[in-house]
Amino acid sequence: MNDADKKRLLREMMFFRRFEDRTFEAYMERKVGGFLHLYSGQEAVATGVLEMANVGKGQENDYVITGYRDHIHAIKTGAQPREVMAELYGKETGSSKGRGGSMHIFDASQNFMGGYALVGQPFPLAAGLAMAAKHKGSDQIAICFLGDGANNQGTFHETMNMASVWELPVLFVCENNLYAIGTHIDRSTAVRDQYKRVCSYDMKASQHDGMDIDTVMEAAKEAVDYVRNEQKPYFIEFMTYRYRGHSMSDAKGYRTKDEEEVWMKRDPIRLYSERLIEAGLVTDDEIKSMEKEILDEIENDVVKFAEESPEPKVEDLNKYVLDDNPDPRWIGPLQK
Amino acid sequence: MAETAYWEAIRRAHDEEMANDSMVIAMGEDIGVVGGTYKATSGLYDKYGPQRIIDTPISENSYTGIGIGASMAGMRPVIEIMSINFALLALDTLINAAAKIRYMSGGQLQCPIVMRTPGGTAHQLAAQHSARLARMFMSTSGLRVVTPRSPMDAYGMLKSAIRSNDPVIIIEHEQMYNLKEDIPDEEFFRPLEGAEIVREGTDITLIGYNFSVHLCLEAAKRLEADGISAEVVDLRVLKPIDRETIRTSVEKTHRVVVAEEDEAPVGVGSEIITGIIEDCFFALDSQPVRIHAADVPVPYNAKLEKAAIPSADDVYHGALKALGKI
């Protein structure tokens, strides 16, 4: 990875942090409704893993799918930040035309196959995407990001089993942030190390630091290459931490300030910026001007676009329920 | 024309559609090496191989989800659920995902899956193998629900369902798999929308779907012997309901019986009769009659089971009631 790429990665993570902070502000201003789950603290995982995958290339992309904490995964896969923000605002120009909202970002043009609100549901969908890629003889793989909480769903075990027995090219990325909503992993789950849980499915698995993007990228490269080349599944776990509550209704009363401080000392953006400064690739001043640029871009492009976009038309309420242009040969109606 | 059993019709539809489009696959428990509990995919494993006729583990929710994921990337999976009771396990991926993905994505993605499953009572299979549940699926936005009563429809609607871009639930019936009928040798399709008048009459309309159409036809024969001309409507499709065909028939006969094998509360009959009241209330000469299963889990004991499930006799007596004869 060259120096320019390193600087770009730092900027991306800074952008993602600011994007999420800005959605928080918009939520407080009641411009964003529903549930809002923010990714701050976990940026190194999605950024690092997807940096090692095929993203940003439209239909050639790997398939990416995740849960409801999905804004950043969508953007890193190739979705336009302004369209993701417009979606949060419920606008017609949003990535899901205002029909999905924060938890259901989709960008089919970039093979970002969605954010899902049923914990554990993306496991089988990801395996199905991988099955299709393999069936078509493409070298695409499917990448499924979920939290540790999802692993207590039956779909986790069912899908690990089938992905393994059918040798599907799918990478399961477990973002272990230690909490399933507000319940600590030690109180809900028999083992803290999630990668150990897949050993009964004869699947390759490993665990890594999820706060250091260099570590993430190194591990992810090996995993992505394995899935693509061997056409087999891989389960990779990253230990990470979300700074904000599970969603906006969450006051974080279930954890201590001390615990938060321990993790924030290893903030992924701080770790990486310090490393790049130390290596002489970037200066404090440059970082400050990057911050300013990002603030400006998010305010004057991303948010402005969302604010100024039109809402969906009420007369379009019934669009997209079923195929809006069905073929009468199959659909009919029956000729009397 | 060749005499074809209901199961053979389904098998033929699979075979032709798999030959026509390499993106069509089938998945389910025991559908490959064994050929399917009702033989609906027999012989196809040898012809198309394990990559396209996929024997799944007993993991309904996730293999349905895998089918859905594959469909989002362009495949057309036909998912067999051995009994509609087991479909309850797959409701998360079916209803929370397949039925909603087109909408949630603002029309960017579609889930062209077919889920085939027998939904009805057979003989003494007891409560956990005798569910019907048609009424549950027909209340879900984003699904198509069809209920073929004959080999013609079983073949032609499966072919249409595979080509349709929507998730389609096909509710079959354990007591119909051996039902035989002559069907054309040439390929044909039967549409996924529209009810059908399967017997014309002038005095009363008997409405059924799936197996209950046969109860209606039998009741109509008995009514004919009494000098009463009954029209029989096969709904064919529970979602979307063809209200126009029902209205036209009721405006002709002025009396109506709806026969379903589902239980009554919030049943198919409730929906059909509500539609009749909304569409042609003043055409009715008597109150509509619902024939339905008892509101109990289906019992094992044969005598109790018979009492729980509607029969042709029940439909016949329901018609006499609607006609004011009892």
Side-chain angles (χ1 to χ4, degrees):
Chain A
M1 176 167 285
N2 64 35
D3 294 350
D5 281 335
K6 289 178 184 172
K7 274 168 86 167
R8 172 181 55 82
L9 275 182
L10 175 63
R11 191 187 190 283
E12 283 181 9
M13 288 200 290
M14 290 165 59
F15 183 92
F16 297 154
R17 179 72 53 89
R18 177 59 200 155
F19 185 92
E20 293 291 66
D21 286 349
R22 188 62 183 84
T23 68
F24 176 89
E25 291 162 25
Y27 189 90
M28 299 312 278
E29 292 166 5
R30 295 176 183 256
K31 290 186 172 163
V32 173
F35 288 131
L36 182 69
H37 307 81
L38 303 179
Y39 195 59
S40 305
Q42 300 183 206
E43 294 90 345
V45 182
T47 314
V49 171
L50 292 174
E51 183 68 21
M52 295 295 113
N54 289 331
V55 295
K57 300 173 189 163
Q59 292 294 293
E60 289 169 33
N61 281 358
D62 292 323
Y63 293 108
V64 179
I65 191 166
T66 186
Y68 38 77
R69 203 179 302 283
D70 57 353
H71 315 157
I72 302 309
H73 302 79
I75 296 171
K76 180 65 184 171
T77 304
Q80 294 302 310
R82 48 168 30 198
E83 291 178 6
V84 176
M85 187 63 87
E87 186 61 30
L88 305 188
Y89 274 67
K91 298 297 181 73
E92 181 70 17
T93 55
S95 40
S96 303
K97 297 195 170 71
R99 270 70 167 182
S102 163
M103 297 186 282
H104 308 301
I105 307 291
F106 286 82
D107 189 340
S109 72
Q110 294 286 343
N111 289 343
F112 183 73
M113 308 307 268
Y116 296 84
L118 275 297
V119 172
Q121 192 178 70
F123 284 126
L125 301 182
L129 293 165
M131 178 188 271
K134 189 164 187 163
H135 186 82
K136 291 189 259 189
S138 122
D139 79 335
Q140 290 162 304
I141 66 171
I143 304 177
C144 174
F145 291 87
L146 284 172
D148 48 291
N151 300 345
N152 289 329
Q153 285 281 2
T155 48
F156 167 80
H157 297 279
E158 292 182 350
T159 305
M160 292 306 133
N161 180 51
M162 284 183 272
S164 183
V165 75
W166 295 338
E167 300 191 339
L168 300 178
V170 52
L171 175 63
F172 298 105
V173 182
C174 175
E175 303 195 47
N176 188 344
N177 65 19
L178 303 175
Y179 289 89
I181 316 179
T183 300
H184 192 270
I185 190 165
D186 293 345
R187 297 178 57 235
S188 67
T189 306
V191 287
R192 186 185 276 212
D193 297 326
Q194 297 300 296
Y195 77 103
K196 290 179 182 167
R197 298 177 77 182
V198 299
C199 69
S200 52
Y201 301 109
D202 192 26
M203 189 187 300
K204 209 166 164 178
S206 59
Q207 184 190 55
H208 312 272
D209 177 11
M211 302 305 266
D212 182 339
I213 194 169
D214 282 327
T215 308
V216 172
M217 286 192 290
E218 192 186 340
K221 181 168 181 9
E222 193 185 318
V224 165
D225 288 349
Y226 173 86
V227 172
R228 205 182 306 283
N229 299 332
E230 304 296 320
Q231 291 285 297
K232 284 181 185 172
Y234 191 115
F235 183 94
I236 192 163
E237 176 182 12
F238 293 104
M239 302 307 293
T240 184
Y241 202 73
R242 68 170 148 73
Y243 293 167
R244 296 194 183 271
H246 166 76
S247 71
M248 301 304 285
S249 58
D250 172 351
K252 301 186 289 180
Y254 46 82
R255 64 192 201 193
T256 64
K257 284 266 170 270
D258 288 350
E259 179 184 293
E260 291 183 9
E261 276 168 22
V262 168
W263 282 93
M264 285 179 180
K265 273 185 196 153
R266 300 198 66 253
D267 177 78
I269 296 170
R270 181 166 147 188
L271 276 184
Y272 199 55
S273 59
E274 282 172 5
R275 189 171 301 150
L276 297 196
I277 289 168
E278 209 169 293
L281 297 179
V282 68
T283 65
D284 270 331
D285 284 349
E286 276 179 285
I287 289 176
K288 282 205 182 77
S289 71
M290 271 158 71
E291 273 168 0
K292 215 168 147 274
E293 253 176 59
I294 288 168
L295 269 177
D296 182 64
E297 184 184 341
I298 288 184
E299 226 39 54
N300 297 318
D301 176 42
V302 173
V303 172
K304 188 164 185 280
F305 177 78
E307 299 256 1
E308 291 175 356
S309 287
E311 293 198 60
K313 294 188 191 119
V314 173
E315 53 265 39
D316 288 340
L317 174 67
N318 296 315
K319 272 175 100 171
Y320 316 129
V321 178
L322 295 171
D323 186 354
D324 289 311
N325 297 297
D327 189 326
R329 285 177 296 171
W330 332 129
I331 302 302
L334 188 70
Q335 298 303 310
K336 302 289 189 285
Chain B
M1 298 288 262
E3 191 183 62
T4 307
Y6 194 96
W7 69 265
E8 291 172 313
I10 297 168
R11 186 193 170 282
R12 179 180 154 193
H14 274 105
D15 191 8
E16 289 176 7
E17 291 304 300
M18 292 186 72
N20 172 64
D21 180 357
S22 66
M23 299 306 267
V24 179
I25 58 169
M27 39 199 312
E29 294 153 10
D30 272 3
I31 70 158
V33 173
V34 174
T37 307
Y38 302 101
K39 299 187 282 187
T41 46
S42 54
L44 301 182
Y45 181 84
D46 292 334
K47 191 165 173 184
Y48 296 103
Q51 306 300 323
R52 295 187 65 197
I53 298 284
I54 302 169
D55 278 314
T56 65
I58 303 170
S59 304
E60 286 83 359
N61 194 29
S62 294
Y63 77 68
T64 298
I66 290 175
I68 294 164
S71 79
M72 290 160 69
M75 299 192 71
R76 294 190 173 258
V78 182
I79 298 162
E80 179 176 297
I81 302 280
M82 200 183 275
S83 152
I84 203 165
N85 300 263
F86 313 155
L88 288 173
L89 289 155
L91 291 189
D92 174 48
T93 48
L94 180 70
I95 293 182
N96 279 323
K100 295 175 179 163
I101 284 171
R102 181 191 293 276
Y103 201 86
M104 292 196 300
S105 68
Q108 292 180 78
L109 292 170
Q110 60 184 23
C111 300
I113 61 152
V114 180
M115 177 182 278
R116 296 179 36 248
T117 184
T121 57
H123 296 291
Q124 289 193 273
L125 299 185
Q128 293 190 329
H129 277 80
S130 302
R132 285 125 298 161
L133 303 175
R135 64 196 190 286
M136 190 184 65
F137 291 109
M138 73 186 283
S139 68
T140 302
S141 303
L143 296 180
R144 292 183 176 277
V145 183
V146 303
T147 54
R149 73 165 193 283
S150 63
M152 283 281 274
D153 263 355
Y155 164 84
M157 290 176 102
L158 175 54
K159 285 178 67 83
S160 295
I162 290 170
R163 298 201 183 195
S164 140
N165 293 325
D166 298 316
V168 182
I169 313 301
I170 303 184
I171 301 177
E172 300 164 0
H173 197 290
E174 277 159 296
Q175 293 185 57
M176 293 199 301
Y177 285 112
N178 285 316
L179 193 78
K180 291 189 174 73
E181 181 181 34
D182 281 340
I183 69 172
D185 298 326
E186 313 78 57
E187 176 180 58
F188 65 94
F189 296 85
R190 296 277 290 165
L192 300 178
E193 288 186 8
E196 185 176 18
I197 310 284
V198 291
R199 178 192 168 112
E200 293 205 9
T202 52
D203 300 333
I204 187 165
T205 300
L206 310 179
I207 301 176
Y209 61 93
N210 191 299
F211 190 60
S212 71
V213 177
H214 299 284
L215 304 183
C216 292
L217 287 168
E218 210 180 312
K221 263 191 220 160
R222 283 180 63 184
L223 290 165
E224 189 177 25
D226 296 346
I228 297 158
S229 163
E231 178 146 298
V232 176
V233 176
D234 175 7
L235 293 172
R236 294 181 70 250
V237 180
L238 296 183
K239 192 170 182 68
I241 292 276
D242 174 5
R243 289 168 65 148
E244 187 55 28
T245 298
I246 297 168
R247 185 183 63 76
T248 307
S249 180
V250 173
E251 283 179 344
K252 178 167 73 170
T253 66
H254 309 291
R255 295 170 197 273
V256 65
V257 175
V258 184
E260 62 185 307
E261 209 184 299
D262 270 46
E263 294 101 310
V266 203
V268 179
S270 323
E271 181 60 28
I272 299 301
I273 289 170
T274 302
I276 290 169
I277 288 168
E278 288 174 337
D279 293 348
C280 53
F281 177 75
F282 291 106
L284 288 169
D285 281 348
S286 66
Q287 65 229 52
V289 173
R290 279 194 291 177
I291 300 299
H292 52 78
D295 189 12
V296 297
V298 177
Y300 164 71
N301 174 275
K303 212 185 274 179
L304 290 179
E305 183 189 45
K306 193 160 174 272
I309 302 305
S311 63
D313 195 48
D314 294 331
V315 180
Y316 171 72
H317 283 99
L320 294 182
K321 191 177 159 198
L323 288 155
K325 294 190 185 297
I326 47 171

